[in-house]
Amino acid sequence: MNFSIQQYPFDNNLECEIIDNHRDFLNWPLVYFLEENKTKEAYVGETTDVLSRLKTHSKSERKQKLNTVNLILSDKFNKSATLDVESNLIRYISSDGTYSLQNGNLGISNHKFYQQKEVYWELFKDIWSELISLGIARHSLHDIDNSDLFKYSPYKLLSREQITGLRMILNCLLDDSAKVSLIQGGAGTGKSILAIFLFKLLKTNLDDFNESDFDENDKDIFHLLESVKQKYGDLNMALVIPMASFRQTISNVFKNIKGLSSKMVIGPSEIVKQKYDLLIVDEGHRLRRRVNLGSYFGTFDKNCEALGLDKNTSSELDWVQLQSEKSIIFYDQFQSIKPSDVTKESFYNLKNLPTTRNEKLLTQFRVKGGNNYVKLVHQLFDESINKGRPKINIGFYDFKLFDNLNEMVDQIQLKEKEEKLSRMVAGFAWEWISKNDKSKFDIVIEDTFLQWNSTDKDWVNSTNAINEVGCIHTTQGYDLNYAGVIIGPELDYDFKNHEFIVYKERYKDKNGKNSIKDHKILLDFVINIYKTILLRGIEGTYVYVCNPNLRRYFSQFIPIYHEKTKQEKLLKILDEPNEHTVPFYDLEIAAGNFSDLQAVRYSKFIEVPDLISPQDYFICKVVGESMNKVIPNGSFCLFKKYTGGSRNGFITLVEGSEIFDSETGAHYTIKEYSSKKIMDEEGWHHEEIILKPLSTNSYQQIVLRDEETINFKVIGVFVKIIQ
């Protein structure tokens, strides 16, 4: 191993122990983990001056409760690497559930640096395995990645947009003339992450922040936070989540975060019980008004009366403003799904008040297809799409249309085994008859028999969820790895008039339709439902459409799923290697970085019996037309791992942070390589690298110059097409 973890009592003898045993690391970058094993409280840090840093901690009243220090040492560490390891440890330990962290959630660095993925992520995985063996951690990184504690952790790195929103919110809290911060953002833009980050930030003691690692953005936010703390002290606050299922999930998350409590997560009806300094509302578009409330009518009326409001004209949005000195409301008008939701006009009026501060989140973080996939989903339901087929590059996001529902169910089951967190979701077009009779099936389509979700609280994480079908009410707000979406018989398409049709009698959500007389309004709600559930899947979305006309319409824009082609079946693609195999990477399955594809869970193996030294090679299924003069789209190509030497004139698979293949949306590409070198006092280095397409179509060459050539590497050299 290229690291060691050394454990010592956090006491007066610690300085002597470190000087005696680790003299070479006294002024060397390292990471440390302070813990108290009985209370399971801990702190993660990094430093280049270990004695001074630990001496400072020993004077802190809260750190004095921690009695053991684990030093993580490596001669491969540099400052960027230790910041990276520290950041990853904070994120994963906080989500592992074994320890509660004293760390604040500001100043968690996200530095890009040389060999970050190739070397230091691999090193971190080894460190994590060692922490598991020491009993400090319990769960694998893969399991944590799929956990709600990780997905909704307050220790997330914020984007520039989110930081701008956070700064606006803190300024709003300091501005006596501002009452509401209104944050608009589509599905997957990080509204819930920002809401939870903010909540933790405001509930954290200032002493728990590691100011020495702050960058300029962090310092700016910290000074604003100091001012907010000085103005309000300990804020009386709550996180309001309208949907019961998602509320239960976030309550469970808060229960496991130091300084937070499940009682801090409330439903709208609890707002009336007391006044708050601050209310943060997530999924604000699901706040309700007095329409189609069913059994909730009584509670709604009682609360309006208690607050002195007219029940017929007010809404839960009014309750929020009345019961809080300040409020922060996250919403998305395209996720309003039923008549009881607060109207978009109400949000428009709130947005335009002089006491409201407004911000937008635009960047997509959930789905790997990014903003382009979101744009495609919206365009699918836009009648103007018929003026021209959309040409939107969603990279290798796994978006497929199925002709056979059984095949889609099988594929979601397979993805659950491979990736976890893969679920079937459907529109509300079938009665929930299995609720009272478990022997019955709700969704029957040809020879496929399925049941709705057996629970409406945190269904996504329930034991039998993979064998059931969720609806909008049990999936809105959640992240999935794969979503299998059934578009029910209530939605259709009229080719003659080029418009969508909704059949009210086939839509089974009574509270979602009873008061609606205008079919256009119902159609808008139904389309919003499908837009919302089509944006749940991180890695991919599979679609089955019940009505033939609508299926034919979507088939113009969504790739049709086919079983593996006969050509692929001719190759011996194996799950395990043998002496004749080379690794196989399917470039269709992921965009981003090629190194991501090399993870074990993505790799298969192909037998090439006549190959000498198979360990020196790998195979890729190449997609796209940019090299079609030499490599036809869909070819299986043999590459030799690059180990050095000239590559001018060769077809190469290359990777780099400055590379963006316009055809695949990835940071790797296959092109003909050429370069120019210059020599100066520091030796030879690249002046320019040219990656040239060889295609019958028109593609731009990729040119890298100066600093763009630094974070760049050749993965392999093309040898031949094997099929």
Side-chain angles (χ1 to χ4, degrees), residues 419-468:
E419 306 283 344
K420 304 298 182 186
L421 212 60
S422 299
R423 301 288 182 265
M424 294 290 300
V425 191
F428 210 149
W430 294 271
E431 300 284 359
W432 192 7
I433 58 176
S434 66
K435 182 178 183 180
N436 300 315
D437 187 346
K438 301 303 180 187
S439 67
K440 293 184 177 179
F441 294 93
D442 307 296
I443 302 172
V444 179
I445 300 172
E446 296 179 349
D447 58 345
T448 306
F449 298 84
L450 301 167
Q451 290 182 325
W452 281 121
N453 44 273
S454 56
T455 178
D456 56 4
K457 299 289 178 65
D458 197 25
W459 168 77
V460 164
N461 300 302
S462 62
T463 305
N464 200 42
I466 184 55
N467 299 312
E468 300 170 349

Side-chain angles (χ1 to χ4, degrees), residues 1 63 80 99 121 242 269 299 336 346 521 583 630 634 636:
M1 292 188 293
K63 301 294 188 299
S80 292
Y99 285 87
W121 176 245
S269 63
T299 302
S336 175
S346 294
I521 293 174
V630 180
F636 286 69

Side-chain angles (χ1 to χ4, degrees), residues 406-624:
N406 269 335
E407 285 184 350
M408 188 170 88
V409 172
D410 289 344
Q411 286 300 306
I412 290 296
Q413 296 273 355
L414 179 63
K415 293 301 181 184
E416 170 67 11
K417 291 177 182 177
E418 294 175 348
E419 306 283 344
K420 304 298 182 186
L421 212 60
S422 299
R423 301 288 182 265
M424 294 290 300
V425 191
F428 210 149
W430 294 271
E431 300 284 359
W432 192 7
I433 58 176
S434 66
K435 182 178 183 180
N436 300 315
D437 187 346
K438 301 303 180 187
S439 67
K440 293 184 177 179
F441 294 93
D442 307 296
I443 302 172
V444 179
I445 300 172
E446 296 179 349
D447 58 345
T448 306
F449 298 84
L450 301 167
Q451 290 182 325
W452 281 121
N453 44 273
S454 56
T455 178
D456 56 4
K457 299 289 178 65
D458 197 25
W459 168 77
V460 164
N461 300 302
S462 62
T463 305
N464 200 42
I466 184 55
N467 299 312
E468 300 170 349
V469 181
C471 67
I472 182 66
H473 305 305
T474 52
T475 55
Q476 192 168 20
Y478 286 91
D479 292 348
L480 301 172
N481 285 332
Y482 272 84
V485 177
I486 304 173
I487 298 181
E490 84 282 23
L491 188 65
D492 207 347
Y493 189 78
D494 179 354
F495 277 98
K496 181 178 178 181
N497 295 309
H498 302 294
E499 62 183 15
F500 291 91
I501 302 168
V502 65
Y503 301 111
K504 188 174 183 179
E505 68 279 5
R506 298 180 186 176
Y507 184 54
K508 302 302 181 182
D509 187 351
K510 294 176 182 177
N511 288 331
K513 69 176 182 178
N514 280 354
S515 65
I516 299 176
K517 296 179 181 179
D518 185 343
H519 270 56
K520 182 67 172 66
I521 293 174
L522 180 60
L523 177 63
D524 286 344
F525 281 130
V526 170
I527 285 177
N528 276 359
I529 288 171
Y530 284 118
K531 283 181 179 178
T532 301
I533 60 181
L534 283 167
L535 295 172
R536 298 300 100 193
I538 297 169
E539 303 287 344
T541 301
Y542 296 157
V543 182
Y544 177 83
V545 182
C546 289
N547 284 323
N549 272 349
L550 186 59
R551 191 184 313 160
R552 182 159 64 92
Y553 168 78
F554 279 133
S555 69
Q556 300 173 91
F557 315 112
I558 307 175
I560 307 294
Y561 170 81
H562 298 291
E563 289 189 88
K564 294 294 183 180
T565 65
K566 292 180 181 178
Q567 186 183 44
E568 288 185 47
K569 290 179 181 178
L570 292 175
L571 291 169
K572 290 187 177 180
I573 302 178
L574 308 174
D575 291 325
E576 299 294 335
N578 62 45
E579 59 181 343
H580 300 299
T581 59
V582 298
F584 164 57
Y585 306 109
D586 188 344
L587 300 188
E588 285 187 304
I589 67 173
N593 298 303
F594 181 78
S595 50
D596 293 340
L597 288 176
Q598 294 172 294
V600 173
R601 61 192 174 121
Y602 288 135
S603 62
K604 300 286 185 180
F605 301 88
I606 292 179
E607 284 192 345
V608 188
D610 58 345
L611 194 63
I612 300 173
S613 303
Q615 68 274 10
D616 295 334
Y617 296 83
F618 61 91
I619 293 170
C620 287
K621 182 183 177 185
V622 179
V623 294

Side-chain angles (χ1 to χ4, degrees), residues 309-357:
L309 296 171
D310 182 345
K311 65 183 180 181
N312 294 309
T313 59
S314 63
S315 69
E316 291 174 342
L317 184 61
D318 299 311
W319 303 359
V320 170
Q321 297 171 76
L322 196 62
Q323 289 297 93
S324 61
E325 290 298 317
K326 303 272 187 175
S327 60
I328 301 157
I329 303 169
F330 296 85
Y331 83 107
D332 174 18
Q333 67 181 61
F334 294 110
Q335 291 191 64
S336 175
I337 61 165
K338 55 198 310 184
S340 58
D341 293 342
V342 172
T343 63
K344 61 183 179 182
E345 288 77 20
S346 294
F347 280 106
Y348 179 81
N349 293 334
L350 177 60
K351 179 180 178 180
N352 288 287
L353 289 176
T355 53
T356 300
R357 303 295 178 263

